[in-house]
Amino acid sequence: MEVRWFRSQLSPFVHRYSDGKDQYGQQMPEYQRRTELLKDGLTSGSVALRIFNIRPSDEGQYSCFVQDGIDYEEALLELNVAASGSAPHISVEDYQEGGIRLVCRSSGWYPEPEVLWRDPSGQHLPSLSGTNSQEVNELFEIENSIIITENSHKNVSCVVRNTHTNHQKESTLFYISDAFFPMTNPWMVALWVILVGLAGFIGLTIYLFKIKGKQRGKYKPETGAREGLLQKLDSEVRWRKIAAPMEKANVTLDPDTAHPQLIQSEDRKSVRRRDTWQDLPNNPERFEYERCVLGCEGFTSGRHYWEVELGGGEYWAVGVARESVKRKGEIIFETQEGIWAVGHWGSQYLAVTSPRSPLVLKWVPRRIRVFLNYEVGQVAFFDADRGVLIFTFPPASFAGERIRPWFWVWDTESQLRLCPRDTG
């Protein structure tokens, strides 16, 4: 008996079976090492074909040809391919048209997905713009934006839906504070007035020094000094608008949880990895396989944040974890395992969603602020120097369990350091 699976013509083929074994002599190059005839079903008349590592280009019509002696039959099948991508990532981008522009990004979809914005009641919200692009791996990456004004809904969700399977993934940005919107309260008005006045004073001072320098022939002002100072002040204002209601936690590392290859500083504020193992007791709290360490502090209520300075390296992550997080054996870094974190793996920044979400960053962060709002189950990450949102996880249910700071350092070049409490 011969079984031949093919696309538009008998040869070259997708897969061929004859003389009791698979034949690969004239197989189509794009299917090499990716096909298998399920032989267990042959005696019952089943000639099912399995295709591994499915690709969007595999979609389309297939023919199944079976011949036994002079008898033969042929059947046509249509293969539809669908891929559900990463959980949407909502970021606060900038001020635009009297409001805040939010951008929803997601990747790894096929076919081209549908993107929807929704309010808390499930009603659709009009989007500002959207772009979908097909990546090298034939999957689609989406980017869609919306403008949120002070008087509009403060809770918004981004939904990405597969049009083949109707499977969808959703992320919600819970409560955009009035402090985000410019000139929304007397305190912010006063703060911006001070900023504008300070900017004018700086400009006047630079101008007077410039005149004085021309008169004496000695002073040459640095190019961009005013702009740099104003940018720093603007970042400070943005940060205060976001973090004013938050309490900064004084986090220290817990040596009883540290993997034996992790070295902590004397003040228990810094951690790095070395190649040799320390002779430490293998207590139940200690991470045995993954190079992790927890913070001593734990939270069961309130809103808290802390800052972590990044010391280079290629493999590291920071975030929070449940008290019950797995300590022994290999750990899967994802929310289902009780870990909410962002980090750097090789050449890209990722959030530990399932599947992992690539982070589109305009700048390389030097310090990361980790935010925890226990009551609403929210974990978010900001670029500490610029006050820019990096990633917000969908709300979680902590169910009264203690949540602790979590750190992972895999390579010896990486180092993480907790910033002093009075930073920022």
Side-chain angles (χ1 to χ4, degrees), residues 202-216:
I202 294 172
L204 179 61
T205 303
I206 292 177
Y207 176 73
L208 292 176
F209 269 104
K210 186 182 294 186
I211 294 176
K212 187 176 181 181
K214 287 181 178 179
Q215 292 175 346
R216 297 186 177 181

Side-chain angles (χ1 to χ4, degrees), residues 1-19 21-28 35 37 42 47-49 62-68 72-77:
M1 183 181 69
E2 178 183 359
V3 178
R4 189 186 296 246
W5 284 89
F6 61 96
R7 298 294 297 264
S8 59
Q9 53 189 12
L10 279 170
S11 181
F13 50 77
V14 175
H15 192 92
R16 179 171 174 255
Y17 172 86
S18 66
D19 298 328
K21 60 182 179 180
D22 297 310
Q23 308 288 340
Y24 298 103
Q26 295 180 340
Q27 188 179 32
M28 297 172 68
T35 60
L37 191 72
L42 291 178
V47 291
L49 179 71
Y62 289 75
S63 296
C64 173
F65 175 85
V66 180
Q67 183 173 9
D68 188 3
Y72 66 90
E73 291 289 345
E74 184 176 344
L76 295 177
L77 294 92

